[in-house]
């Protein structure tokens, strides 16, 4: 798996693409890219400000693929902890949390979970 699309929870709108380095290994690097269909409303939303707090930054992330799916986790430069879970059907969820605050939404791998 080399790319995951993140959607907002409330509107189900495209938010970001999470690019993952290759080869698939327990420790990979990832970076958020603006989804080509993002709207200015979504970009300025709470989720948008958390996912895109500053300039694009590459994050070291953990990558674990098991029988039930793939788990990816990392912390951004503002301290938000991201957890992405993609199930066997190439769909799943994402969550970002900081202390008692959290945002979440739907996630999917458009090119499958082959790697």
């Amino acid at each position: 798996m080399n790319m995951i699309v993140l959607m907002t929870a409330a509107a189900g709108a495209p938010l970001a693409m999470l690019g993952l380095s290759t080869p698939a290994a327990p420790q990979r690097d990832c970076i958020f890219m603006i989804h080509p269909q993002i709207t200015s409303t979504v970009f300025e939303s709470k989720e948008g400000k958390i996912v895109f707090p500053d300039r694009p930054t590459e994050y070291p992330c953990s990558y674990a693929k098991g029988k039930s799916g793939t788990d990816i986790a990392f912390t951004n430069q503002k301290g938000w902890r991201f957890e992405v879970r993609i199930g066997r059907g190439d769909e799943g969820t994402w969550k970002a949390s900081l202390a008692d605050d959290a945002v979440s939404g739907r996630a999917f791998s458009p090119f499958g979970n082959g790697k």
Side-chain angles (χ1 to χ4, degrees):
M1 183 179 325
N2 296 319
M3 185 175 66
I4 298 168
V5 174
L6 275 59
M7 311 286 280
T8 62
L15 175 62
M17 298 178 298
L18 181 65
L20 297 152
S21 65
T22 56
Q27 182 70 38
R28 295 175 76 174
D29 293 307
C30 57
I31 189 168
F32 280 120
M33 298 166 279
I34 295 175
H35 193 282
Q37 295 176 324
I38 193 170
T39 64
S40 58
T41 302
V42 171
F43 186 77
E44 293 296 327
S45 70
K46 180 177 181 178
E47 292 97 333
K49 290 179 181 178
I50 292 167
V51 171
F52 302 112
D54 202 347
R55 62 182 176 78
T57 302
E58 200 170 283
Y59 307 106
C61 58
S62 63
Y63 181 91
K65 185 174 177 182
K67 290 181 181 181
S68 62
T70 303
D71 293 312
I72 299 154
F74 60 95
T75 302
N76 77 0
Q77 68 265 42
K78 300 288 185 174
W80 286 86
R81 181 71 178 164
F82 285 81
E83 297 173 0
V84 181
R85 172 114 176 117
I86 302 294
R88 293 180 51 107
D90 298 328
E91 294 193 12
T93 59
W94 69 274
K95 177 181 179 181
S97 56
L98 177 67
D100 293 334
D101 200 1
V103 294
S104 62
R106 190 172 75 89
F108 67 92
S109 177
F111 303 116
N113 195 5
K115 293 198 180 227

